[in-house]
Amino acid sequence: MLKCLNKSIGDYTQNGGGEATGILARKALMKDRKTRKEPANMNKTEAIPSTDFIREIIDGDLKVNKNEGRVATRFPPEPNGYLHIGHAKSVCLNFGIAEQYGGTCNLRFDDTDPSGESMEYVESIKSDVRWLGFNWNDRLFYASDYFEQLYQYAVQLIKDGKAYVCSLSPEEIREYRGTLTKPGKDSPYRARSVEENLDLFKRMRAGEFEEGAHVLRAKIDMSSPNINMRDPTIYRIKKIPHYRTGDEWLIYPMYDFTHCLSDSIEEITHSICTLEFENNRPLYDWVLDQLKVDCHPQQIEFARLNLSYTVLSKRKLVELVEKGHVTGWDDPRMPTLAGLRRRGFTPEAIQKFCERIGVAKRDSIVDIELLEHCIREDLNQRAPRVMAVLRPLRLVIDNYPEDKVEELDAPYHPQDPDMGSRKVPFSRVLYIERDDFREDPPKKFFRLAPGREVRLRYAYYVTCTGVVKDEQTGEVVEVHCAYDPKTRGGSSPDGRKVKGTIHWVSAAHSLPAEVRLYDRLFQVANPSGEKDRDFMRYLNPSSLETLTSGRVEPSLEGAVPGSRYQFERLGYFCVDPVDSSDRGLVFNRTTTLRDSWAKIESKEKSRD
Ligand code: ATP
Ligand code: MG
């Protein structure tokens, strides 16, 4: 029991929880906003970005003046969902490289599959990339803008005898493809004449055939050990309106055909993608070689980010949203950038996280505690400290005058006097945290208990003189205390020590607030770890706890949506940008103060 108490409420002595704090919250917020606008600066003042195998390749290319010394990357999301923290890794990598080498990075929507794509997703992706701190300037592109050009490239392949219309059914195509151990066999349509292929492809475009009746395939090698090279489909019929091109197109190019050509059209030099595309690289090169394009970018693969206790696949994230397991893409439990932002994460913390995990060639799972560590580190510096009581218990100071109110000075940040301070009203009736009182205290419980003296943060020493209980349940509903007027400010002239310091708010002056405590969305480290088990079964049923009777100090009146605070001893909290309003404050817990990652790290260091 005690162990769990310690977990939920930190001690003042830990985690910078609070020697004192400083400016008007507004000032702190402005500072917050200022740094938010210029996240790149944060990186620039730090050490030169550490290198990795991709940067080493680029360095090598620059040495021999490959691409005339140009570095051009792109971030190519498909607008079929919101960006998640895995995408952030790719955004930081692509935009970061462009920034570092004085190159360019395009934002390109890879929108060639009309099912599931939408303008809502395009807009969300744009705003998330901007929020993360990156700017594509005028380099915004859509693969769908290349549809005509891609069609002409496909016609070129047909004319060169490098592509053919295949009329096998989807099942037959699969069957003919063979397996890893069995070579494929040629489609009976492989020998169609160029004229017939051109005619059929034109009629596919005109909408003469049903979906699945024909596809256009590259003519490569059905016995290739690489299955991707066994005459892959490069166009299929899809009679679904496209969110940008409407019903103009009834055939759509496949990823492997579109991606390399889009890269080439945009004169990308280094096309960075995730490891699962390694076996697609020969196809990427094949298409560009056959078409003899002027620009042939180099595809480089890196390991995608996997994060413990979460899923990072849009298909799975869509499922969580659509089945109502979360309130939306921006639910603060989601690993999406929209969710993390609403939870109180800063772009700087996410950039820092991406920098720390680095870029590797081998897949691994990153501990979510590293992400939590990064946000704590950032908020520890920038979040003003305030007092809030999440589960209130009335505390009455019997020897304090009934109508007296004192305004106590409380700094916003223990290490940053520039943040200033605010006045916190103190009066006869306060609220303290229910967990900070025990009628029958266990060993090492240094907070309030009958006969025990504690320090009220920034205020006085109080000694518990009695309790009032609910007659029916026996539950303590009120604690009575006597205060020592000579201890104002938190120390006593006679030098006597008290072991515990607890936070509080004045009952009459504090504001009501709803507080949402978030926990991990999944109960196991690797919810997608077992192929034949649905990841949904590992959902954490208590990933959200909503406390509706919280009380916060009056300085939080009108707190700006999205602004972030440390609630002393409790954790970092952010004003919910969606549900908080003048009618009622709503706070999201970004993270607790407990930092097990720091512990793990220091353990590892001491072992070295
Ligand atoms: P998902 O598997 O979540 O659906 P995706 O790869 O289909 O992701 P895209 O929109 O195609 O999503 O991704 C855009 C870019 O982001 C791609 O270059 C992709 O490689 C990269 N990316 C996606 N997920 C991750 C990840 N977990 N780690 C690093 N990069 C990623
Ligand atoms: Mg994709």
Side-chain angles (χ1 to χ4, degrees):
M1 190 63 204
L2 182 64
K3 213 168 152 207
C4 121
L5 272 178
N6 283 339
K7 269 187 189 167
S8 60
I9 302 187
D11 290 313
Y12 273 112
T13 48
Q14 290 174 0
N15 306 306
E19 274 315 282
T21 16
I23 2 180
L24 275 180
R26 302 277 174 284
K27 206 164 154 195
L29 283 174
M30 275 163 57
K31 195 171 168 182
D32 187 24
R33 268 196 224 116
K34 220 166 107 195
T35 27
R36 211 185 302 165
K37 253 196 235 153
E38 303 158 342
N41 286 350
M42 194 177 108
N43 285 343
K44 276 179 197 138
T45 53
E46 278 173 14
I48 301 153
S50 55
T51 194
D52 52 59
F53 79 95
I54 298 181
R55 288 173 164 94
E56 276 165 13
I57 292 174
I58 296 175
D59 289 337
D61 290 347
L62 289 176
K63 244 184 226 152
V64 298
N65 203 33
K66 193 174 166 189
N67 309 305
E68 291 84 44
R70 264 185 335 113
V71 175
T73 57
R74 83 286 169 270
F75 172 63
E78 183 181 359
N80 62 349
Y82 280 58
L83 295 187
H84 53 62
I85 182 82
H87 292 113
K89 176 176 179 179
S90 177
V91 171
C92 290
L93 183 61
N94 281 293
F95 281 93
I97 283 177
E99 221 167 76
Q100 184 185 342
Y101 290 94
T104 53
C105 180
N106 297 355
L107 173 60
R108 180 201 313 144
F109 289 100
D110 195 6
D111 53 355
T112 56
D113 182 355
S115 48
E117 294 173 357
S118 76
M119 213 57 202
E120 179 201 341
Y121 293 136
V122 166
E123 290 307 327
S124 77
I125 290 169
K126 282 159 71 177
S127 89
D128 285 347
V129 172
R130 239 182 259 123
W131 176 77
L132 245 195
F134 298 101
N135 190 343
W136 56 88
N137 297 309
D138 57 352
R139 313 192 66 84
L140 175 66
F141 300 95
Y142 294 85
S144 53
D145 281 342
Y146 308 140
F147 280 166
E148 184 59 41
Q149 213 170 336
L150 294 170
Y151 179 82
Q152 296 304 336
Y153 274 129
V155 167
Q156 185 63 47
L157 278 187
I158 296 174
K159 284 183 178 162
D160 293 345
K162 307 267 173 58
Y164 62 97
V165 173
C166 179
S167 311
L168 291 176
S169 68
E171 297 73 41
E172 287 167 327
I173 289 184
R174 215 170 301 128
E175 220 181 278
Y176 275 63
R177 188 178 297 132
T179 62
L180 280 175
T181 50
K182 205 174 95 198
K185 57 180 185 191
D186 286 0
S187 158
Y189 303 98
R190 204 173 196 261
R192 269 179 172 149
S193 69
V194 168
E195 289 66 37
E196 192 183 359
N197 283 323
L198 285 174
D199 174 62
L200 284 170
F201 190 46
K202 204 162 137 196
R203 287 162 62 198
M204 279 167 68
R205 176 178 182 168
E208 280 187 34
F209 311 113
E210 289 315 304
E211 284 185 20
H214 309 284
V215 293
L216 184 70
R217 297 176 69 174
K219 195 189 273 188
I220 311 179
D221 178 6
M222 287 307 291
S223 61
S224 170
N226 182 344
I227 294 183
N228 291 295
M229 300 298 272
R230 294 183 190 168
D231 291 8
T233 296
I234 55 175
Y235 262 92
R236 74 255 200 246
I237 301 169
K238 231 177 194 191
K239 298 191 168 172
I240 301 177
H242 186 277
Y243 77 102
R244 286 186 83 237
T245 58
D247 47 19
E248 192 186 334
W249 289 90
L250 302 165
I251 54 172
Y252 291 94
M254 302 295 284
Y255 171 88
D256 284 314
F257 186 67
T258 312
H259 203 81
C260 53
L261 286 167
S262 304
D263 282 347
S264 173
I265 292 167
E266 293 173 20
E267 299 190 319
I268 299 302
T269 56
H270 300 86
S271 175
I272 303 165
C273 63
T274 40
L275 224 45
E276 67 272 23
F277 292 103
E278 199 169 14
N279 290 334
N280 299 53
R281 184 166 10 113
L283 180 52
Y284 183 104
D285 291 332
W286 184 90
V287 172
L288 297 183
D289 285 343
Q290 303 314 306
L291 290 166
K292 301 186 182 66
V293 291
D294 291 336
C295 172
H296 188 138
Q298 178 183 2
Q299 177 177 305
I300 306 169
E301 308 87 18
F302 71 99
R304 65 193 291 119
L305 168 67
N306 300 303
L307 198 57
S308 65
Y309 297 95
T310 191
V311 293
L312 289 184
S313 131
K314 273 186 281 184
R315 186 183 60 74
K316 289 179 180 153
L317 296 176
V318 171
E319 205 178 325
L320 289 171
V321 172
E322 283 178 353
K323 293 196 172 152
H325 294 294
V326 292
T327 57
W329 285 98
D330 68 346
D331 186 301
R333 291 166 293 180
M334 290 280 272
T336 51
L337 295 182
L340 291 167
R341 173 167 65 232
R342 187 168 169 193
R343 174 119 169 210
F345 275 70
T346 61
E348 291 81 358
I350 293 174
Q351 281 194 25
K352 197 51 171 289
F353 169 74
C354 292
E355 205 179 291
R356 285 209 179 142
I357 55 176
V359 183
K361 259 264 182 230
R362 191 144 28 103
D363 276 319
S364 65
I365 300 182
V366 173
D367 201 324
I368 197 166
E369 284 183 355
L370 177 59
L371 180 62
E372 291 165 0
H373 171 72
C374 290
I375 187 61
R376 270 189 201 106
E377 200 174 55
D378 191 25
L379 292 182
N380 181 38
Q381 282 184 35
R382 68 165 83 199
R385 275 59 170 168
V386 292
M387 292 199 283
V389 172
L390 303 190
R391 298 173 181 89
L393 173 64
R394 260 169 81 87
L395 181 139
V396 181
I397 305 170
D398 295 310
N399 61 339
Y400 195 87
E402 271 211 37
D403 42 13
K404 184 170 171 181
V405 179
E406 283 180 86
E407 295 282 334
L408 302 172
D409 197 50
Y412 273 119
H413 197 289
Q415 284 96 30
D416 185 358
D418 278 356
M419 277 203 195
S421 65
R422 80 285 184 194
K423 299 283 182 203
V424 185
F426 183 84
S427 65
R428 186 171 188 267
V429 182
L430 310 175
Y431 287 121
I432 61 166
E433 210 67 61
R434 194 159 271 285
D435 273 350
D436 280 338
F437 177 80
R438 279 284 172 282
E439 205 183 0
D440 187 13
K443 238 186 171 174
K444 290 194 181 159
F445 180 87
F446 299 126
R447 306 169 201 173
L448 203 57
R452 179 97 45 97
E453 186 170 48
V454 296
R455 177 189 293 110
L456 293 176
R457 180 76 165 152
Y458 308 119
Y460 295 97
Y461 288 7
V462 292
T463 304
C464 176
T465 52
V467 297
V468 177
K469 289 184 184 177
D470 182 302
E471 275 178 19
Q472 248 124 65
T473 64
E475 189 195 19
V476 174
V477 291
E478 196 170 281
V479 176
H480 283 258
C481 284
Y483 86 116
D484 177 353
K486 290 196 285 298
T487 58
R488 189 181 156 140
S491 59
S492 77
D494 62 9
R496 73 179 186 276
K497 294 265 182 292
V498 291
K499 276 212 168 134
T501 300
I502 63 175
H503 62 273
W504 52 273
V505 293
S506 165
H509 304 86
S510 60
L511 309 169
E514 177 178 316
V515 181
R516 299 172 183 170
L517 306 180
Y518 299 102
D519 199 352
R520 289 168 185 165
L521 194 49
F522 292 94
Q523 290 170 306
V524 298
N526 187 6
S528 318
E530 293 156 81
K531 276 215 166 62
D532 43 353
R533 290 227 176 147
D534 188 8
F535 71 100
M536 290 280 191
R537 63 182 286 155
Y538 298 115
L539 273 171
N540 175 5
S542 36
S543 57
L544 168 62
E545 185 183 0
T546 304
L547 305 175
T548 51
S549 49
R551 310 287 304 188
V552 299
E553 61 168 72
S555 75
L556 288 173
E557 187 174 2
V560 180
S563 54
R564 310 173 182 94
Y565 297 88
Q566 185 193 95
F567 287 176
E568 293 207 30
R569 297 175 68 226
L570 298 172
Y572 294 100
F573 292 78
C574 133
V575 182
D576 187 88
V578 179
D579 296 331
S580 197
S581 71
D582 293 344
R583 277 173 289 116
L585 286 165
V586 179
F587 288 91
N588 296 324
R589 183 172 68 194
T590 311
T591 181
T592 57
L593 293 177
R594 181 172 55 100
D595 191 342
S596 37
W597 177 260
K599 270 186 225 150
I600 294 169
E601 206 172 32
S602 71
K603 244 190 250 157
E604 277 172 2
K605 269 200 194 119
S606 62
R607 230 183 282 138
D608 289 343

